[in-house]
Amino acid sequence: MLEIKNLHVKLEDEDKQILKGVDLKVEAGKVHAIMGPNGSGKSTLSYVLSGRDGYEVTEGSAELEGEDILELEPEERAAAGMFLAFQYPVEIPGVGNMTFLRTAVNAQRKARGEDELSASDFLKEVRAKAKTLKIDADMLKRPVNVGFSGGEKKRNEILQMAMLEPKLCILDETDSGLDVDAMKLVAEGVNALRDEGRGFLVITHYQRLLDHIKPDVVHILAGGRIVKTGGPELALEVENNGYAGILAEEA
Amino acid sequence: MALPEVKQSATEARLSALTLPESGCLKAARQAALSRVQTMGLPSRRDEYWKYTKPDTLVQAEAPKAAVFHADETPMFNAFDRLNIVFVDGVFDAEASDDLSLEGVTIDRIEDICCKDIHWAKDLYGVLEARGQTPVERPLAALNTAFASDGVAIRVTGKVSKPVNFTYVHSDENSDAILHHVIRVESGAEVTILENGPAASRFNKCMEIDIADGGKLHLVRAQGRDHERRAATHLFARLGTESVFKSFTLTVNGVLTRNEAVIELTGDDAVAHIAGACVGDGDFHHDDTVFITHDAVNCESRQVFKKVLRNGATGVFQGKILVKEGAQKTDGYQISQSLLLDDDSQFLAKPELEIYADDVACSHGSTSGAIDEEGLFYLRSRGVPHAEATDLMTLAFLAEAVDEIEDAEIAADIVSRLEGWLARRR
Ligand SMILES: Nc1ncnc2c1ncn2[C@@H]1O[C@H](COP(=O)(O)OP(=O)(O)O)[C@@H](O)[C@H]1O
Ligand SMILES: [Mg+2]
């Protein structure tokens, strides 16, 4: 599904290397978790994969289902099946959430040569999916993320993911700032999307999210590199001992 | 006091190209306006009030040539049930206009009033314009009062069932039109006025609006799509107790536009909202100059102006809220913003507050900036192509102004024109 090889990334405007040779392979149907200290480059990895400006790939590659995605525009990556649930979802005053969702869904369908969803089919689908995420009609009408609480923003990300049905879902600290109930909702939303054809990259600091979204593989990213890969037990180790032990052992 | 020589000669040159029309009961008003013009002189670049906008082409004797733009779309507001009044290059077109009778309103042409000895409009024509000459002079409005060749006087006595629509057709590339409308909304009466079109190569328009206690007037105008046309418009409104005045202006293209609005809240609990959205590309200069005076208790005023500028277009905003002594509980809001789609465009803003009462809430803000890259990336990451995402962000920027239009159908018509403008520039 996703194959990253020896990925080196620096900031475009500064002489600062952030990713220093990341190798990662996410298979369809699997959930990979990435943990790691603050500032280790987790968000940078997710942004580079989704095509945000400001980063320069100096070495290495990233392929989605065999296609080199690093040369694609963000919207082309989205149409190819890439989705990032933002660590900090962006507020867009003046654009209604519903308009935004419909525009996005139809833009992707168009890019893939499919017919647009009819207004009524779209509505039906949004309403059903919003309901399971406890997103009310008012939130759908309001401008994108404007005045949403932290938890509402994260649920809104999952709603977008559910509507867009991507192939590879990256979740960047989707659990941060969520209370236990909200986290359960989000996890259920993610689990409902788990599918043989879909891969997940879940960035988190906490075991508690991984109690709900059970990972197949856990990676530790530190200093711009994946320093350790293991099974779910690796997340427990982080939970119990922090990163210090692992980092010392790998150094 | 004598005028500076340059101003004096420019004023004389302009005046010598005009003749006072047949005046009837408006004769005194016209003559008084003419002497105001002679005393003030026409605007020049040296005037503080014209610091950001060159008045030369609005003042010169001959109107600069402006090609007539032939749009391939249905004119705005055409789909609505309305009473349509058509002016072609500033000349009333009886053939194209509807019959001027409608329940709750009487409409007379200024040209007709000019041969009458008695008419209610005599008490309004030039009156608000003259009041609006202090503390800032507006000589082009006085020029209009003196020389307007036509226009209408609308008296609203009830709740009018459909909008009164002005269609201003531009057909001659050398046309120079001066129109003057007066509108009196009687106590408790209500009307919607629509205006659409460039009107002429050069258009000087003045509208005086007097709203009695509890009256309501909604005004929505669109200034046409002609690239080369010039316009200097003045809106003078006086609001009585518990009256409401809401105005929205859409400006798409036009080489030069100066829209002045002078609003006086003279009765308690009155509400005045004035909004504008303009989009300009290249040779485009758009100036909103607003002066709102609060002279009563518990009134609300709102100014919302948004400008989208690209390829070296210029936007200007001069907006003032004056709260007079005793105008307690005033709620004044003013926002002017520009979205610069490139580095060549510019926005010049001069927001002002002058307050002589202590129990008031006034705020004003002005910003100028590029499209929010974060928002743009967010949209694109969801699959929305760059151009479409930019348009969506641009419309979102304009939304606060467009939201000032109460009628959903009118707002939708406006939005569709903005979408069209953006789509043509992809
Ligand atoms: N646009 C940027 N400008 C400056 N520094 C950045 C930028 N993006 C990332 N960084 C820096 O790169 C490092 C990695 O950041 P990030 O990827 O956000 O880490 P994480 O998500 O793992 O906490 C940090 O030191 C951060 O300050
Ligand atoms: Mg991060």
Side-chain angles (χ1 to χ4, degrees), chain A residues 50-52 73-75 78 83-84 86 90 92-95 100 103-104 107-108 145 157 160, chain B residues 372-388 392-393 395-397 399:
Chain A
S50 48
R52 185 174 150 141
E73 296 296 329
E75 56 269 33
F83 182 92
L84 167 64
F86 284 55
V90 181
I92 312 184
V95 177
F100 164 58
T103 308
Q108 291 203 12
N145 294 324
E157 294 290 289
Q160 293 165 36
Chain B
D372 174 27
E373 288 293 334
E374 292 274 321
L376 200 58
F377 172 62
Y378 190 65
L379 290 171
R380 295 178 70 194
S381 79
R382 297 308 184 237
V384 184
H386 191 277
E388 211 176 316
L392 210 54
M393 298 286 290
L395 288 171
F397 165 79

Side-chain angles (χ1 to χ4, degrees), chain B residues 237 239 243-247 263-265 270-274 292 294 299-303 331 333 404:
Chain B
L239 280 75
S243 67
V244 176
F245 172 62
K246 291 192 179 175
S247 146
I263 299 170
E264 247 189 304
L265 297 129
V271 174
H273 290 191
I274 178 157
I292 296 189
H294 281 262
C299 291
E300 175 192 313
S301 73
R302 235 178 114 77
Q303 303 172 49
D331 177 1
Y333 174 78
E404 290 292 320

Side-chain angles (χ1 to χ4, degrees), chain A:
Chain A
M1 168 91 357
L2 175 71
E3 188 158 7
I4 303 172
K5 284 188 193 150
N6 194 29
L7 190 65
H8 286 69
V9 173
K10 67 178 276 290
L11 291 178
E12 218 167 46
D13 300 337
E14 268 177 63
D15 204 18
K16 182 171 175 177
Q17 197 74 31
I18 300 173
L19 299 182
K20 302 167 184 166
V22 172
D23 288 288
L24 181 65
K25 197 169 167 181
V26 180
E27 307 81 4
K30 300 287 187 212
V31 174
H32 284 234
I34 296 189
M35 305 179 85
N38 285 330
S40 58
K42 303 183 297 294
S43 292
T44 301
L45 177 62
S46 68
Y47 284 143
V48 169
L49 292 175
S50 48
R52 185 174 150 141
D53 282 343
Y55 304 99
E56 190 186 326
V57 175
T58 53
E59 217 185 316
S61 64
E63 293 180 352
L64 185 66
E65 291 193 309
E67 185 183 10
D68 174 9
I69 53 165
L70 295 178
E71 291 303 313
L72 300 180
E73 296 296 329
E75 56 269 33
E76 294 170 328
R77 299 183 197 202
M82 177 76 76
F83 182 92
L84 167 64
F86 284 55
Q87 181 173 2
Y88 305 107
V90 181
E91 299 186 6
I92 312 184
V95 177
N97 212 8
M98 203 71 142
T99 308
F100 164 58
L101 274 170
R102 199 178 53 238
T103 308
V105 167
N106 284 332
Q108 291 203 12
R109 294 178 74 101
K110 206 169 139 193
R112 291 194 290 257
E114 300 163 12
D115 283 341
E116 295 196 349
L117 266 189
S118 76
S120 67
D121 286 348
F122 170 80
L123 256 178
K124 233 182 273 166
E125 207 179 317
V126 170
R127 288 208 179 117
K129 288 178 172 165
K131 199 171 163 199
T132 62
L133 287 160
K134 297 216 164 79
I135 290 174
D136 59 22
D138 183 54
M139 255 176 80
L140 289 174
K141 264 190 241 149
R142 275 168 23 205
V144 180
N145 294 324
V146 177
F148 286 25
S149 70
E152 286 172 338
K153 283 182 182 166
K154 297 299 174 81
R155 276 186 276 146
N156 201 29
E157 294 290 289
I158 304 305
L159 173 64
Q160 293 165 36
M161 194 165 96
M163 288 303 296
L164 294 169
E165 300 180 333
K167 288 182 187 149
L168 182 84
C169 307
I170 307 174
L171 286 84
D172 190 0
E173 295 199 29
T174 299
D175 53 338
S176 64
L178 294 188
D179 61 30
V180 181
D181 292 337
M183 195 175 62
K184 264 195 181 151
L185 271 178
V186 163
E188 278 164 21
V190 172
N191 287 331
L193 283 167
R194 286 186 74 159
D195 180 280
E196 278 179 14
R198 188 170 285 136
F200 287 86
L201 196 56
V202 180
I203 298 171
T204 183
H205 279 298
Y206 303 105
Q207 170 61 32
R208 53 171 206 172
L209 179 69
L210 302 179
D211 284 340
H212 297 286
I213 307 173
K214 298 242 177 333
D216 298 294
V217 184
V218 176
H219 309 274
I220 309 294
L221 183 72
R225 231 178 252 123
I226 288 180
V227 296
K228 190 164 184 177
T229 296
E233 71 287 348
L234 189 52
L236 281 171
E237 194 185 329
V238 170
E239 181 83 356
N240 295 330
N241 308 326
Y243 295 111
I246 297 168
L247 297 185
E249 158 193 332
E250 297 301 319

Side-chain angles (χ1 to χ4, degrees), chain B residues 126-183:
Chain B
V127 172
L128 298 186
E129 175 262 298
R131 281 174 74 92
Q133 296 295 347
T134 42
V136 192
E137 293 176 349
R138 305 170 199 283
L140 288 172
L143 182 86
N144 181 303
T145 300
F147 295 100
S149 56
D150 212 340
V152 295
I154 300 180
R155 185 173 188 190
V156 188
T157 49
K159 291 194 163 64
V160 185
S161 62
K162 56 184 179 185
V164 175
N165 182 94
F166 291 100
T167 299
Y168 302 123
V169 180
H170 175 207
S171 89
D172 177 344
E173 62 180 17
N174 293 308
S175 54
D176 190 15
I178 307 181
L179 291 182
H180 194 119
H181 305 307
V182 294
I183 303 172

